[in-house]
Amino acid sequence: MPPPHLNSELKIKVCGLTRWEDAELALELGADYCGVIVYPKSPRAATRQQAWELCQRIPAGKRVMVDVNTGADELENWADLGFDHFQIHCDIDVNLATLAAWRGIVGKEQLWLAPKIPPGEAFPQTMLEFADTILVDAYHADKYGGSGQTGNWELFAEWATLYAHKRFVLAGGLNPDNVTEAVRVSGAETADVNSGVESQPGIKDHAKLRALFAALGR
Ligand SMILES: O=C(O)c1ccccc1NCC(=O)[C@H](O)[C@H](O)COP(=O)(O)O
């Protein structure tokens, strides 16, 4: 049973998968989405072959490509592998033509935008017309994701309430010890876990994965 204060509809994305055995366990435990990072500078980047194999085996509807400032041609190439959702990290001043190109290639419903929002910055509202899902990650000056740092859960709750017509995903430093508190405070309907359930970048720790889903009552 999930802890009583937790949304029973909570969805979990396990990100940074490179191996089928990790994805398989995550799915058995109840993961709703499997994230495959294709950004070459990430220590968790999957090769095209690994991404293809994972796309073959992860059930349709659950396959999320994760990248940074993807070029249009590259995005078309990744889409060919069969991903269902496309999480693209970008800066808040990304140009509107780029956002429109991403939306044109994968569709607004499949595009998950992850703007890198420095502390104190207003939410980049102009992005809302391009994607139905917004991922709010912890800010890190030198990284676009996978920092292991937690974000501002209260601010997440504010933004998710203010823009309730969009789906907001909470990311950043979630692990078996803090996930229930993070979800309670933020009110997140979807939460993303990555380095908090790893043994090393790109390799999931099965005990931590089990502990995370157990904490959520799954
Ligand atoms: O994880 C990465 O290495 C990464 C690199 C560049 C862009 C995005 C990346 N990860 C995207 C995710 O969805 C992560 O799960 C998210 O940033 C949270 O990571 P963590 O703080 O390790 O839980």
Side-chain angles (χ1 to χ4, degrees):
M1 286 281 286
H5 60 269
L6 273 195
N7 173 357
S8 59
E9 305 289 302
L10 177 71
K11 294 196 184 312
I12 297 292
K13 167 174 164 260
V14 176
C15 196
L17 293 163
T18 60
R19 311 189 303 173
W20 168 242
E21 60 258 50
D22 297 344
E24 186 179 34
L25 178 64
L27 289 163
E28 271 172 31
L29 294 171
D32 300 283
Y33 300 106
C34 294
V36 180
I37 299 172
V38 301
Y39 179 52
K41 291 184 184 160
S42 165
R44 314 173 169 86
T47 62
R48 192 167 175 89
Q49 178 66 24
Q50 285 171 323
W52 179 82
E53 282 170 15
L54 287 167
C55 282
Q56 294 297 303
R57 302 179 89 162
I58 297 167
K62 298 193 171 206
R63 301 164 296 191
V64 186
M65 180 217 82
V66 180
D67 198 9
V68 177
N69 292 324
T70 320
D73 291 348
E74 275 177 279
L75 185 55
E76 279 169 359
N77 275 333
W78 290 118
D80 285 345
L81 291 192
F83 285 106
D84 306 292
H85 310 280
F86 300 83
Q87 174 183 322
I88 305 185
H89 292 246
C90 58
D91 296 295
I92 50 172
D93 57 357
V94 58
N95 79 55
L96 299 186
T98 300
L99 294 171
W102 291 339
R103 180 184 60 186
I105 294 166
V106 301
K108 190 179 177 179
E109 298 79 15
Q110 284 75 34
L111 183 58
W112 297 18
L113 283 177
K116 178 170 168 172
I117 310 174
E121 279 290 337
F123 183 83
Q125 282 186 58
T126 43
M127 288 197 183
L128 292 171
E129 72 178 91
F130 297 95
D132 285 344
T133 301
I134 304 292
L135 182 137
V136 179
D137 207 337
Y139 176 81
H140 187 287
D142 308 322
K143 293 182 179 176
Y144 281 97
S147 70
Q149 293 182 2
T150 50
N152 183 333
W153 299 336
E154 287 84 5
L155 188 57
F156 178 97
E158 247 176 66
W159 288 343
T161 304
L162 201 53
Y163 309 111
H165 59 300
K166 297 289 165 181
R167 191 161 70 109
F168 275 69
V169 180
L170 178 70
L174 302 182
N175 61 48
D177 297 327
N178 67 10
V179 69
T180 55
E181 182 64 359
V183 170
R184 187 187 67 75
V185 175
S186 66
E189 292 175 357
T190 308
D192 171 290
V193 296
N194 183 3
S195 57
V197 291
E198 279 182 340
S199 53
Q200 63 183 82
I203 306 296
K204 294 302 180 225
D205 179 317
H206 288 199
K208 288 182 189 169
L209 262 183
R210 288 183 196 282
L212 182 111
F213 282 96
L216 296 169
R218 294 193 187 179

